[in-house]
Amino acid sequence: IYEKKLDSQAIAACELLVAETRTSIIAYDGDTLYTTNLTQTVKDLHEIYGEPLSVEIPSLVQHESGMHKILICDDDTEKLVKVVRPKLEELAARTNARVTQAVPTMLELLPEGCSKALGVQKLCEV
């Protein structure tokens, strides 16, 4: 019905940010999740939150069909708020994306304008 994916520059920048800050990354392409490092934090998304187990791949940006959203995760919530989030907000501003946070240990990067409300609206238009 409707989909929007992150710009490849946003995905590449997220991979660099994760390497710099030593955090974990999970990217969504439809119902399949991907990561570049199957850390315990990544496994927790599956074991605790019931999400599908992420498939480990060498590079997210090389995944040809792109990504709908990216999670950057760490158990150190202070690091996420004070170090990672400001850098992710800058990245979002440069790449037409936005940052949200529903869980203290996870930051979410979405294409600008995408939301569950928009999804419901598009579904109702059909």
Side-chain angles (χ1 to χ4, degrees), residues 15-84:
E15 287 190 277
L16 291 174
L17 178 59
V18 164
E20 175 191 331
T21 58
R22 296 182 181 172
T23 50
S24 296
I25 191 168
I26 302 155
Y28 288 68
D29 182 16
D31 293 332
T32 306
L33 281 61
Y34 296 92
T35 187
T36 54
N37 186 9
L38 200 55
T39 64
Q40 186 57 53
T41 302
V42 172
K43 292 176 188 175
D44 286 348
L45 189 67
H46 168 67
E47 294 168 1
I48 296 171
Y49 296 97
E51 292 287 323
L53 184 61
S54 295
V55 176
E56 191 170 1
I57 59 176
S59 171
L60 299 177
V61 77
Q62 292 178 359
H63 178 70
E64 291 182 17
S65 63
M67 299 297 177
H68 290 102
K69 74 176 179 179
I70 290 178
L71 296 180
I72 296 180
C73 309
D74 199 275
D75 289 332
D76 184 345
T77 57
E78 187 172 337
K79 177 170 81 172
L80 279 181
V81 171
K82 293 184 177 179
V83 177
V84 181

